[in-house]
Amino acid sequence: AQSVTQPDIHITVSEGASLELRCNYSYGATPYLFWYVQSPGQGLQLLLKYFSGDTLVQGIKGFEAEFKRSQSSFNLRKPSVHWSDAAEYFCAVGPGGYNKLIFGAGTRLAVHP
Amino acid sequence: DGGITQSPKYLFRKEGQNVTLSCEQNLNHDAMYWYRQDPGQGLRLIYYSQIVNDFQKGDIAEGYSVSREKKESFPLTVTSAQKNPTAFYLCASRATGDGNQPQHFGDGTRLSIL
């Protein structure tokens, strides 16, 4: 079955520290992978996406993610976290050429000053 | 600027009442989606539509209904049959010409029971 797992429900980091949010997926073919961010009471904003090619993708707000096929992972990273990065982050996988997305349960990020 | 507009931002439902959530997009996208979001459960797909006058049930369609009479609009009705409607509802749209296109989201409607 197709699924997305975000193992960490909550993560707390200090401002200026590095960040890595984990995402593992289960999918039978080459997936399309996405990371979205959601601020409280808001919709989801796309941070980055991976379809093919270079396995390290750059996104907005200084985020990057690396696709590792052997580990079925698509972890999100940021070298130095800002207080404004506090939000909930969702990883999603899409069947190639189709319209539905499968979302993980999300990781809530808190940033300490 | 193009985008997705959901209204109202907050909505209250009485027992036995149907309520309709509005979703309008001016992105010229063919596909539209409704998701329900509950704490700790991520997003669950309620209904989706790939083209005008056509829509399909998602994973949790019971107690909900939709219509797609215009490309720009995809309203969701939460019927009295939905016994636990309190949630945050998100509408999304996507261009379908290229299979790689991501979904774009509105700012959501929070529905509560009176």
Side-chain angles (χ1 to χ4, degrees):
Chain A
Q2 301 160 1
S3 65
V4 176
T5 301
Q6 295 181 245
D8 305 304
I9 298 174
H10 296 280
I11 284 184
T12 301
V13 299
S14 298
E15 191 169 16
S18 62
L19 172 70
E20 182 170 33
L21 302 182
R22 296 183 290 165
C23 173
N24 295 98
Y25 65 89
S26 174
Y27 187 69
T30 300
Y32 294 164
L33 294 157
F34 307 84
W35 274 101
Y36 286 87
V37 61
Q38 183 182 33
S39 297
Q42 301 294 315
L44 275 67
Q45 180 184 21
L46 179 70
L47 284 175
L48 47 78
K49 58 187 178 184
Y50 171 79
F51 300 130
S52 64
D54 192 347
T55 57
L56 183 64
V57 294
Q58 302 297 320
I60 62 171
K61 304 186 180 187
F63 285 93
E64 66 178 26
E66 185 171 13
F67 171 60
K68 293 185 178 180
R69 185 186 300 275
S70 62
Q71 299 178 21
S72 297
S73 69
F74 188 56
N75 294 349
L76 182 72
R77 301 194 294 248
K78 187 170 185 178
S80 178
V81 171
H82 188 262
W83 64 266
S84 61
D85 293 323
E88 189 152 22
Y89 292 80
F90 292 94
C91 181
V93 60
Y98 193 52
N99 293 329
K100 291 175 66 176
L101 288 183
I102 301 163
F103 285 85
T107 297
R108 185 169 298 278
L109 173 67
V111 180
H112 279 183
Chain B
D1 289 340
I4 301 174
T5 301
Q6 290 187 241
S7 62
K9 191 169 181 63
Y10 300 97
L11 186 58
F12 298 91
R13 196 191 87 169
K14 297 179 181 179
E15 293 290 340
Q17 184 182 43
N18 293 352
V19 292
T20 297
L21 285 60
S22 171
C23 178
E24 303 278 333
Q25 54 99 358
N26 61 3
L27 299 168
N28 199 34
H29 287 170
D30 285 310
M32 297 187 74
Y33 310 81
W34 274 105
Y35 291 92
R36 171 179 171 139
Q37 187 177 24
D38 296 281
Q41 295 193 43
L43 278 69
R44 293 183 289 168
L45 183 64
I46 304 172
Y47 268 97
Y48 62 104
S49 168
Q50 298 190 44
I51 197 168
V52 174
N53 292 323
D54 184 59
F55 48 83
Q56 291 82 39
K57 294 181 178 180
D59 302 317
I60 55 164
E62 185 175 353
Y64 300 96
S65 66
V66 294
S67 63
R68 187 82 187 279
E69 298 177 1
K70 298 186 300 181
K71 186 176 185 177
E72 301 79 20
S73 179
F74 191 39
L76 173 74
T77 296
V78 184
T79 74
S80 58
Q82 173 50 244
K83 298 306 180 187
N84 184 25
T86 298
F88 191 53
Y89 291 86
L90 286 163
C91 178
S93 71
R94 177 179 177 274
T96 56
D98 182 343
N100 301 337
Q101 293 301 312
Q103 292 183 8
H104 299 261
F105 286 83
D107 283 339
T109 293
R110 186 166 298 280
L111 175 61
S112 302
I113 296 297
L114 284 177

